[in-house]
PDB file of all heavy atoms in Angstrom:
ATOM      1  N   THR A  59     231.120 205.983  43.496  1.00 88.00           N
ATOM      2  CA  THR A  59     231.946 206.494  42.387  1.00 88.00           C
ATOM      3  C   THR A  59     233.409 206.210  42.686  1.00 88.00           C
ATOM      4  O   THR A  59     234.150 205.810  41.794  1.00 88.00           O
ATOM      5  CB  THR A  59     231.713 208.002  42.199  1.00 88.00           C
ATOM      6  OG1 THR A  59     230.344 208.210  41.972  1.00 88.00           O
ATOM      7  CG2 THR A  59     232.540 208.554  41.058  1.00 88.00           C
ATOM      8  N   LEU A  60     233.834 206.436  43.921  1.00 86.00           N
ATOM      9  CA  LEU A  60     235.199 206.173  44.308  1.00 86.00           C
ATOM     10  C   LEU A  60     235.553 204.714  44.194  1.00 86.00           C
ATOM     11  O   LEU A  60     236.642 204.322  43.751  1.00 86.00           O
ATOM     12  CB  LEU A  60     235.426 206.689  45.724  1.00 86.00           C
ATOM     13  CG  LEU A  60     236.883 206.610  46.267  1.00 86.00           C
ATOM     14  CD1 LEU A  60     237.764 207.393  45.348  1.00 86.00           C
ATOM     15  CD2 LEU A  60     236.945 207.122  47.662  1.00 86.00           C
ATOM     16  N   LYS A  61     234.607 203.828  44.619  1.00 79.00           N
ATOM     17  CA  LYS A  61     234.837 202.412  44.485  1.00 79.00           C
ATOM     18  C   LYS A  61     235.040 202.019  43.021  1.00 79.00           C
ATOM     19  O   LYS A  61     235.942 201.256  42.672  1.00 79.00           O
ATOM     20  CB  LYS A  61     233.667 201.616  45.061  1.00 79.00           C
ATOM     21  CG  LYS A  61     233.719 201.388  46.508  1.00 79.00           C
ATOM     22  CD  LYS A  61     232.574 200.618  47.133  1.00 79.00           C
ATOM     23  CE  LYS A  61     231.822 199.667  46.262  1.00 79.00           C
ATOM     24  NZ  LYS A  61     230.718 198.991  46.974  1.00 79.00           N
ATOM     25  N   MET A  62     234.201 202.581  42.137  1.00 76.00           N
ATOM     26  CA  MET A  62     234.308 202.299  40.721  1.00 76.00           C
ATOM     27  C   MET A  62     235.642 202.808  40.187  1.00 76.00           C
ATOM     28  O   MET A  62     236.343 202.105  39.418  1.00 76.00           O
ATOM     29  CB  MET A  62     233.161 202.959  39.952  1.00 76.00           C
ATOM     30  CG  MET A  62     233.168 202.710  38.474  1.00 76.00           C
ATOM     31  SD  MET A  62     232.993 200.966  38.015  1.00 76.00           S
ATOM     32  CE  MET A  62     231.282 200.727  38.364  1.00 76.00           C
ATOM     33  N   ALA A  63     236.039 204.021  40.577  1.00 77.00           N
ATOM     34  CA  ALA A  63     237.308 204.570  40.109  1.00 77.00           C
ATOM     35  C   ALA A  63     238.486 203.713  40.560  1.00 77.00           C
ATOM     36  O   ALA A  63     239.403 203.461  39.799  1.00 77.00           O
ATOM     37  CB  ALA A  63     237.451 205.994  40.590  1.00 77.00           C
ATOM     38  N   ASN A  64     238.451 203.296  41.797  1.00 74.00           N
ATOM     39  CA  ASN A  64     239.522 202.414  42.292  1.00 74.00           C
ATOM     40  C   ASN A  64     239.562 201.089  41.545  1.00 74.00           C
ATOM     41  O   ASN A  64     240.653 200.560  41.276  1.00 74.00           O
ATOM     42  CB  ASN A  64     239.323 202.128  43.811  1.00 74.00           C
ATOM     43  CG  ASN A  64     239.752 203.311  44.660  1.00 74.00           C
ATOM     44  OD1 ASN A  64     240.561 204.134  44.238  1.00 74.00           O
ATOM     45  ND2 ASN A  64     239.221 203.406  45.848  1.00 74.00           N
ATOM     46  N   SER A  65     238.400 200.571  41.214  1.00 70.00           N
ATOM     47  CA  SER A  65     238.383 199.300  40.449  1.00 70.00           C
ATOM     48  C   SER A  65     238.963 199.498  39.069  1.00 70.00           C
ATOM     49  O   SER A  65     239.715 198.644  38.596  1.00 70.00           O
ATOM     50  CB  SER A  65     236.915 198.829  40.328  1.00 70.00           C
ATOM     51  OG  SER A  65     236.411 198.552  41.572  1.00 70.00           O
ATOM     52  N   ILE A  66     238.617 200.589  38.443  1.00 71.00           N
ATOM     53  CA  ILE A  66     239.127 200.877  37.091  1.00 71.00           C
ATOM     54  C   ILE A  66     240.625 201.081  37.152  1.00 71.00           C
ATOM     55  O   ILE A  66     241.385 200.699  36.229  1.00 71.00           O
ATOM     56  CB  ILE A  66     238.393 202.056  36.491  1.00 71.00           C
ATOM     57  CG1 ILE A  66     236.939 201.630  36.184  1.00 71.00           C
ATOM     58  CG2 ILE A  66     239.073 202.519  35.193  1.00 71.00           C
ATOM     59  CD1 ILE A  66     236.043 202.754  35.734  1.00 71.00           C
ATOM     60  N   LEU A  67     241.110 201.700  38.207  1.00 71.00           N
ATOM     61  CA  LEU A  67     242.541 201.979  38.285  1.00 71.00           C
ATOM     62  C   LEU A  67     243.353 200.753  38.678  1.00 71.00           C
ATOM     63  O   LEU A  67     244.554 200.817  38.735  1.00 71.00           O
ATOM     64  CB  LEU A  67     242.751 203.092  39.341  1.00 71.00           C
ATOM     65  CG  LEU A  67     242.266 204.472  38.963  1.00 71.00           C
ATOM     66  CD1 LEU A  67     242.453 205.429  40.116  1.00 71.00           C
ATOM     67  CD2 LEU A  67     243.002 204.990  37.732  1.00 71.00           C
ATOM     68  N   GLY A  68     242.716 199.630  38.873  1.00 65.00           N
ATOM     69  CA  GLY A  68     243.453 198.410  39.099  1.00 65.00           C
ATOM     70  C   GLY A  68     243.387 197.888  40.507  1.00 65.00           C
ATOM     71  O   GLY A  68     244.096 196.990  40.842  1.00 65.00           O
ATOM     72  N   SER A  69     242.517 198.423  41.303  1.00 61.00           N
ATOM     73  CA  SER A  69     242.403 197.906  42.668  1.00 61.00           C
ATOM     74  C   SER A  69     241.786 196.513  42.576  1.00 61.00           C
ATOM     75  O   SER A  69     240.813 196.257  41.953  1.00 61.00           O
ATOM     76  CB  SER A  69     241.460 198.825  43.490  1.00 61.00           C
ATOM     77  OG  SER A  69     241.177 198.229  44.730  1.00 61.00           O
ATOM     78  N   ASP A  70     242.417 195.542  43.250  1.00 64.00           N
ATOM     79  CA  ASP A  70     241.958 194.163  43.235  1.00 64.00           C
ATOM     80  C   ASP A  70     240.697 193.998  44.063  1.00 64.00           C
ATOM     81  O   ASP A  70     239.948 193.032  43.883  1.00 64.00           O
ATOM     82  CB  ASP A  70     243.023 193.216  43.798  1.00 64.00           C
ATOM     83  CG  ASP A  70     244.225 193.129  42.851  1.00 64.00           C
ATOM     84  OD1 ASP A  70     244.008 193.351  41.641  1.00 64.00           O
ATOM     85  OD2 ASP A  70     245.329 192.854  43.325  1.00 64.00           O
ATOM     86  N   GLU A  71     240.437 194.931  44.938  1.00 64.00           N
ATOM     87  CA  GLU A  71     239.330 194.804  45.869  1.00 64.00           C
ATOM     88  C   GLU A  71     237.957 194.697  45.190  1.00 64.00           C
ATOM     89  O   GLU A  71     237.137 193.872  45.555  1.00 64.00           O
ATOM     90  CB  GLU A  71     239.348 196.028  46.788  1.00 64.00           C
ATOM     91  CG  GLU A  71     238.578 195.848  48.072  1.00 64.00           C
ATOM     92  CD  GLU A  71     238.802 197.035  48.985  1.00 64.00           C
ATOM     93  OE1 GLU A  71     239.953 197.299  49.383  1.00 64.00           O
ATOM     94  OE2 GLU A  71     237.823 197.696  49.286  1.00 64.00           O
ATOM     95  N   ASN A  72     237.734 195.500  44.148  1.00 64.00           N
ATOM     96  CA  ASN A  72     236.384 195.513  43.488  1.00 64.00           C
ATOM     97  C   ASN A  72     236.473 195.123  42.033  1.00 64.00           C
ATOM     98  O   ASN A  72     235.592 195.537  41.266  1.00 64.00           O
ATOM     99  CB  ASN A  72     235.804 196.933  43.654  1.00 64.00           C
ATOM    100  CG  ASN A  72     235.605 197.311  45.079  1.00 64.00           C
ATOM    101  OD1 ASN A  72     235.125 196.508  45.874  1.00 64.00           O
ATOM    102  ND2 ASN A  72     235.982 198.532  45.432  1.00 64.00           N
ATOM    103  N   LYS A  73     237.462 194.359  41.626  1.00 71.00           N
ATOM    104  CA  LYS A  73     237.603 194.015  40.232  1.00 71.00           C
ATOM    105  C   LYS A  73     236.413 193.249  39.705  1.00 71.00           C
ATOM    106  O   LYS A  73     235.929 193.496  38.612  1.00 71.00           O
ATOM    107  CB  LYS A  73     238.898 193.196  40.004  1.00 71.00           C
ATOM    108  CG  LYS A  73     239.986 193.965  39.360  1.00 71.00           C
ATOM    109  CD  LYS A  73     241.153 193.058  39.079  1.00 71.00           C
ATOM    110  CE  LYS A  73     242.271 193.918  38.568  1.00 71.00           C
ATOM    111  NZ  LYS A  73     243.493 193.205  38.350  1.00 71.00           N
ATOM    112  N   ARG A  74     235.956 192.243  40.472  1.00 75.00           N
ATOM    113  CA  ARG A  74     234.832 191.409  40.012  1.00 75.00           C
ATOM    114  C   ARG A  74     233.587 192.260  39.759  1.00 75.00           C
ATOM    115  O   ARG A  74     232.921 192.140  38.752  1.00 75.00           O
ATOM    116  CB  ARG A  74     234.540 190.330  41.051  1.00 75.00           C
ATOM    117  CG  ARG A  74     233.432 189.383  40.627  1.00 75.00           C
ATOM    118  CD  ARG A  74     233.219 188.285  41.682  1.00 75.00           C
ATOM    119  NE  ARG A  74     232.281 187.341  41.255  1.00 75.00           N
ATOM    120  CZ  ARG A  74     230.930 187.544  41.284  1.00 75.00           C
ATOM    121  NH1 ARG A  74     230.447 188.680  41.695  1.00 75.00           N
ATOM    122  NH2 ARG A  74     230.146 186.595  40.874  1.00 75.00           N
ATOM    123  N   GLU A  75     233.325 193.151  40.695  1.00 74.00           N
ATOM    124  CA  GLU A  75     232.142 194.013  40.585  1.00 74.00           C
ATOM    125  C   GLU A  75     232.270 194.900  39.352  1.00 74.00           C
ATOM    126  O   GLU A  75     231.303 195.062  38.607  1.00 74.00           O
ATOM    127  CB  GLU A  75     232.022 194.867  41.837  1.00 74.00           C
ATOM    128  CG  GLU A  75     230.789 195.690  41.912  1.00 74.00           C
ATOM    129  CD  GLU A  75     230.708 196.494  43.210  1.00 74.00           C
ATOM    130  OE1 GLU A  75     231.071 195.952  44.261  1.00 74.00           O
ATOM    131  OE2 GLU A  75     230.230 197.635  43.126  1.00 74.00           O
ATOM    132  N   THR A  76     233.437 195.430  39.093  1.00 73.00           N
ATOM    133  CA  THR A  76     233.645 196.273  37.953  1.00 73.00           C
ATOM    134  C   THR A  76     233.481 195.485  36.651  1.00 73.00           C
ATOM    135  O   THR A  76     232.851 195.970  35.696  1.00 73.00           O
ATOM    136  CB  THR A  76     235.058 196.899  37.977  1.00 73.00           C
ATOM    137  OG1 THR A  76     235.190 197.599  39.195  1.00 73.00           O
ATOM    138  CG2 THR A  76     235.284 197.846  36.836  1.00 73.00           C
ATOM    139  N   LYS A  77     234.043 194.287  36.625  1.00 79.00           N
ATOM    140  CA  LYS A  77     233.894 193.436  35.422  1.00 79.00           C
ATOM    141  C   LYS A  77     232.437 193.143  35.136  1.00 79.00           C
ATOM    142  O   LYS A  77     231.977 193.188  33.972  1.00 79.00           O
ATOM    143  CB  LYS A  77     234.658 192.145  35.579  1.00 79.00           C
ATOM    144  CG  LYS A  77     236.129 192.275  35.467  1.00 79.00           C
ATOM    145  CD  LYS A  77     236.829 190.928  35.647  1.00 79.00           C
ATOM    146  CE  LYS A  77     238.344 191.079  35.559  1.00 79.00           C
ATOM    147  NZ  LYS A  77     239.022 189.792  35.757  1.00 79.00           N
ATOM    148  N   LEU A  78     231.652 192.883  36.173  1.00 81.00           N
ATOM    149  CA  LEU A  78     230.228 192.614  36.021  1.00 81.00           C
ATOM    150  C   LEU A  78     229.493 193.825  35.471  1.00 81.00           C
ATOM    151  O   LEU A  78     228.638 193.712  34.572  1.00 81.00           O
ATOM    152  CB  LEU A  78     229.592 192.170  37.310  1.00 81.00           C
ATOM    153  CG  LEU A  78     230.000 190.796  37.829  1.00 81.00           C
ATOM    154  CD1 LEU A  78     229.460 190.550  39.245  1.00 81.00           C
ATOM    155  CD2 LEU A  78     229.588 189.696  36.883  1.00 81.00           C
ATOM    156  N   LYS A  79     229.841 195.013  35.933  1.00 80.00           N
ATOM    157  CA  LYS A  79     229.186 196.236  35.468  1.00 80.00           C
ATOM    158  C   LYS A  79     229.592 196.507  34.014  1.00 80.00           C
ATOM    159  O   LYS A  79     228.744 196.893  33.224  1.00 80.00           O
ATOM    160  CB  LYS A  79     229.581 197.406  36.367  1.00 80.00           C
ATOM    161  CG  LYS A  79     228.868 197.381  37.698  1.00 80.00           C
ATOM    162  CD  LYS A  79     229.238 198.572  38.533  1.00 80.00           C
ATOM    163  CE  LYS A  79     228.563 198.461  39.914  1.00 80.00           C
ATOM    164  NZ  LYS A  79     228.835 199.595  40.751  1.00 80.00           N
ATOM    165  N   ILE A  80     230.861 196.307  33.696  1.00 83.00           N
ATOM    166  CA  ILE A  80     231.284 196.526  32.320  1.00 83.00           C
ATOM    167  C   ILE A  80     230.615 195.534  31.385  1.00 83.00           C
ATOM    168  O   ILE A  80     230.152 195.914  30.294  1.00 83.00           O
ATOM    169  CB  ILE A  80     232.805 196.389  32.220  1.00 83.00           C
ATOM    170  CG1 ILE A  80     233.482 197.589  32.873  1.00 83.00           C
ATOM    171  CG2 ILE A  80     233.269 196.291  30.770  1.00 83.00           C
ATOM    172  CD1 ILE A  80     234.991 197.491  33.055  1.00 83.00           C
ATOM    173  N   ASN A  81     230.483 194.267  31.807  1.00 89.00           N
ATOM    174  CA  ASN A  81     229.820 193.264  30.963  1.00 89.00           C
ATOM    175  C   ASN A  81     228.333 193.669  30.788  1.00 89.00           C
ATOM    176  O   ASN A  81     227.763 193.478  29.680  1.00 89.00           O
ATOM    177  CB  ASN A  81     229.910 191.897  31.596  1.00 89.00           C
ATOM    178  CG  ASN A  81     231.284 191.298  31.439  1.00 89.00           C
ATOM    179  OD1 ASN A  81     232.035 191.671  30.554  1.00 89.00           O
ATOM    180  ND2 ASN A  81     231.638 190.352  32.290  1.00 89.00           N
ATOM    181  N   ALA A  82     227.690 194.161  31.825  1.00 89.00           N
ATOM    182  CA  ALA A  82     226.307 194.595  31.705  1.00 89.00           C
ATOM    183  C   ALA A  82     226.199 195.770  30.732  1.00 89.00           C
ATOM    184  O   ALA A  82     225.250 195.801  29.896  1.00 89.00           O
ATOM    185  CB  ALA A  82     225.760 195.020  33.054  1.00 89.00           C
TER     186      ALA A  82
END
Side-chain angles (χ1 to χ4, degrees):
T59 303
L60 185 59
K61 275 180 27 180
M62 180 64 73
N64 283 336
S65 297
I66 291 171
L67 291 175
S69 171
D70 291 334
E71 199 172 299
N72 298 316
K73 254 186 186 175
R74 183 177 184 283
E75 186 178 321
T76 303
K77 285 180 182 179
L78 291 174
K79 287 182 182 181
I80 290 172
N81 286 338

